[in-house]
Amino acid sequence: MRLDLPRVRRRALLPEYDPEAFGRFSERIARFLGTGRFIAWMTVVIILWVVWNIFAPVSLRFDQYPFIFLTLALSLQASYAAPLILLAQNRQEARDRVTQEQDRKQNERSIADTEYLTREIAALRMGLGEVATRDWIRSEFQDLIKEMDERRLFPSESDEGDR
């Protein structure tokens, strides 16, 4: 076997198909089968089938009373619908799994960011505990003014008027 040449493709026994295209197709069918419109159309078709095969002239009837052909058609429809619905559910489950993994990673990042910000806020609070704020300085000045008034370090206005 030579590794420097590409392999010659062998003919496949089965036809090739695009699994994604088939999956999208099956999802469209499954979505349609799950609608009220499908049930309404199916009901109309079955009623027309039964009415035609009961009241039409005998020569035009194609499915006599036990409606074997109708049963066969419904069984065939169900046998194709079930796997298509399962395929659509599996694809949806895979998408949900990817979405959940992305959500989990985003939540982990959010938690890490929140913890970081919490630590930063705590550090700022500790740092602010040592910084003189405007209100604290104002209260200190007011306390000093009161204390100086009590000691009479500043002459009151009436004392200045006597001079």
Side-chain angles (χ1 to χ4, degrees), residues 103-117:
D103 288 346
R104 186 188 63 76
K105 287 180 181 177
Q106 180 61 39
N107 287 341
E108 286 177 358
R109 285 191 297 269
S110 295
I111 289 170
D113 289 346
T114 303
E115 289 174 351
Y116 171 76
L117 290 173

Side-chain angles (χ1 to χ4, degrees), residues 26-42:
S26 69
E27 286 176 342
R28 282 196 306 257
I29 291 174
R31 269 191 224 107
F32 176 68
L33 291 176
T35 63
R37 184 173 32 177
F38 170 75
I39 293 177
W41 278 110
M42 188 63 114

Side-chain angles (χ1 to χ4, degrees), residues 31-77:
R31 269 191 224 107
F32 176 68
L33 291 176
T35 63
R37 184 173 32 177
F38 170 75
I39 293 177
W41 278 110
M42 188 63 114
T43 303
V44 167
V45 166
I46 291 172
I47 289 172
L48 289 176
W49 185 298
V50 170
V51 167
W52 179 265
N53 285 296
I54 289 176
F55 295 112
V58 176
S59 63
L60 297 177
R61 294 179 191 172
F62 56 89
D63 194 15
Q64 294 298 322
Y65 164 67
F67 305 119
I68 303 289
F69 189 48
L70 175 64
T71 305
L72 178 66
L74 291 175
S75 296
L76 182 65
Q77 181 265 331

